[in-house]
């Protein structure tokens, strides 16, 4: 599972913004759009890409000065990849790839299974730890044992951090840039259950493998990285 999830997060494109992307008109979305009922505003704009960011403040549509074009909500420019990434979390040196909308689930599962593997390693080395405290001779040096312990703690801390972020429906970038004013609500926080579903899907039997069901891909635009439902009656001042 470590190898599968690692290969998936490395080889999966995190999601780039198409060259001619633009917000869809309401008539193009239709009344059946699942985001409309959740309070998500739809931009009324044509194909003009010269619009300025201020035109879409309420829709969270941005404008990338480096790419010189519009970018969807929650997309950010990666200076390493030199392009805008959909729902970018961070550029990860572990996987030599950006972590974004299309491979975030795989990244979280990679952390999870790596943590489980670290538990097995620590259990296997438990006897060695005991021998060190008993002043017995051991094959491993204290430095190697310390490195194993540090890796265990690091992966655990990273996993806890991302589990917390998923529960709040924030990326690492959004958490670092969040408004410091107290009392403000996050527009994309729909409650922990729906927040987790936006990352792992609604099919619980697929939560622990790096794939989505066809129904989830069809019914959940958030999995594609372009549109996200917001809190009903969300007010940016509260």
């Amino acid at each position: 599972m470590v190898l599968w999830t690692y290969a998936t997060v490395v080889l999966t494109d995190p999601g780039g913004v198409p060259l001619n992307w633009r917000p869809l008109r309401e008539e193009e979305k239709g009344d059946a759009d699942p985001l409309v009922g959740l309070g998500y505003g739809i931009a009324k704009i044509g194909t003009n890409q010269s619009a300025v960011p201020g035109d879409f403040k309420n829709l969270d549509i941005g404008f990338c000065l480096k790419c010189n074009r519009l970018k969807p909500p929650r997309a950010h420019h990666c200076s390493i990849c030199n392009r805008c990434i959909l729902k970018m979390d961070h550029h990860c040196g572990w996987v030599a790839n950006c972590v974004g909308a299309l491979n975030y689930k795989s990244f979280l599962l990679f952390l999870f299974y790596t943590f489980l593997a670290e538990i097995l390693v620590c259990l296997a080395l438990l006897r060695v730890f005991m021998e060190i405290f008993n002043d017995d001779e051991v094959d491993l040096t204290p430095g190697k044992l310390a490195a194993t312990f540090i890796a265990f703690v690091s992966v655990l801390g990273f996993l806890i951090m991302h589990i917390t972020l998923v529960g709040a429906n924030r990326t690492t970038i959004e958490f670092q840039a969040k408004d410091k004013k107290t009392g403000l609500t996050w527009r994309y926080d729909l409650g922990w259950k729906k927040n987790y579903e936006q990352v792992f899907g609604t099919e619980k039997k697929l939560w622990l493998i790096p794939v989505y069901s066809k129904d989830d891909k069809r019914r959940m635009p958030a999995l594609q990285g372009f549109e996200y439902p917001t809190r009903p009656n969300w007010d940016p001042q509260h």
Side-chain angles (χ1 to χ4, degrees), residues 220-235:
M220 300 180 65
L223 297 182
Q224 306 303 321
F226 290 98
E227 299 170 287
Y228 299 91
T230 58
R231 296 167 64 97
N233 303 319
W234 176 77
D235 185 347

Side-chain angles (χ1 to χ4, degrees), residues 19-137:
L19 184 62
N20 296 318
W21 179 84
R22 64 178 177 84
L24 295 178
R25 299 173 182 270
E26 285 190 359
E27 56 267 26
E28 293 175 315
K29 297 289 291 183
D31 295 335
D33 175 31
L35 298 182
V36 173
L38 291 171
Y40 186 89
I42 305 300
K44 296 181 179 180
I45 140 179
T47 57
N48 179 18
Q49 293 293 309
S50 63
V52 296
D55 295 337
F56 304 104
K57 283 183 177 179
N58 293 331
L59 301 172
D60 205 19
I61 303 296
F63 187 87
C64 180
L65 297 177
K66 295 181 179 179
C67 296
N68 195 32
R69 59 175 181 262
L70 295 172
K71 60 182 180 180
R74 314 184 75 176
H76 294 275
H77 187 90
C78 175
S79 59
I80 299 176
C81 297
N82 196 30
R83 61 173 179 154
C84 287
I85 302 297
L86 299 173
K87 196 186 177 184
M88 179 180 173
D89 188 87
H90 67 289
H91 189 95
C92 182
W94 287 11
V95 300
N97 195 8
C98 261
V99 177
L102 304 187
N103 64 351
Y104 187 48
K105 177 183 178 180
S106 299
F107 176 76
L108 291 178
L109 292 177
F110 168 61
L111 286 180
F112 174 69
Y113 287 117
T114 300
F115 174 67
L116 294 184
E118 289 280 357
I119 291 178
L120 292 178
V121 171
C122 289
L123 290 176
L125 293 176
L126 184 60
R127 176 186 59 83
V128 180
F129 278 108
M130 296 177 64
E131 290 177 351
I132 288 179
F133 286 109
N134 293 329
D135 294 327
D136 296 332
E137 293 185 2

Side-chain angles (χ1 to χ4, degrees), residues 208-219:
L208 295 180
I209 58 177
V211 296
Y212 294 106
S213 68
K214 292 182 179 180
D215 285 341
D216 277 350
K217 287 183 177 180
R218 177 176 53 83
R219 293 186 293 106

Side-chain angles (χ1 to χ4, degrees), residues 118 148-158:
E118 289 280 357
T148 301
F149 177 75
I150 292 173
F152 175 82
V153 173
S154 299
V155 173
L156 175 60
F158 210 32

